[in-house]
Amino acid sequence: VPEKYQMVILLNPMAQLVTGYRRLLLEGGIPSGNQILLVAGCSLISLGLGLLVFFRLKKGFADRL
């Protein structure tokens, strides 16, 4: 990936997760604290948004599936 697009890719939470696993499995090191916090934060935000949507659509949820 060209250097000018590296920052855009690092904004993707999955890129941080994959980079952390790569460091852990291939390089034998632990992911940085920033990576862990970013992935955990994105996970909590996704959980919160998912719960919000679910509870708002709970009445007709079975009909929508």
Side-chain angles (χ1 to χ4, degrees):
V1 176
E3 181 91 21
K4 63 182 181 178
Y5 297 119
Q6 291 282 330
M7 186 61 167
V8 175
I9 289 176
L10 291 178
L11 291 175
N12 181 354
M14 284 304 294
Q16 295 295 327
L17 186 64
V18 169
T19 302
Y21 272 114
R22 183 180 298 146
R23 181 175 291 168
L24 182 67
L25 296 174
L26 298 178
E27 299 172 10
I30 28 178
S32 69
N34 289 339
Q35 283 180 322
I36 293 171
L37 288 176
L38 183 63
V39 170
C42 289
S43 298
L44 290 175
I45 290 170
S46 295
L47 174 66
L49 289 174
L51 285 173
L52 181 70
V53 169
F54 175 74
F55 284 119
R56 286 190 181 210
L57 300 175
K58 188 161 76 168
K59 274 186 181 176
F61 196 72
D63 297 333
R64 293 182 191 265
L65 287 179

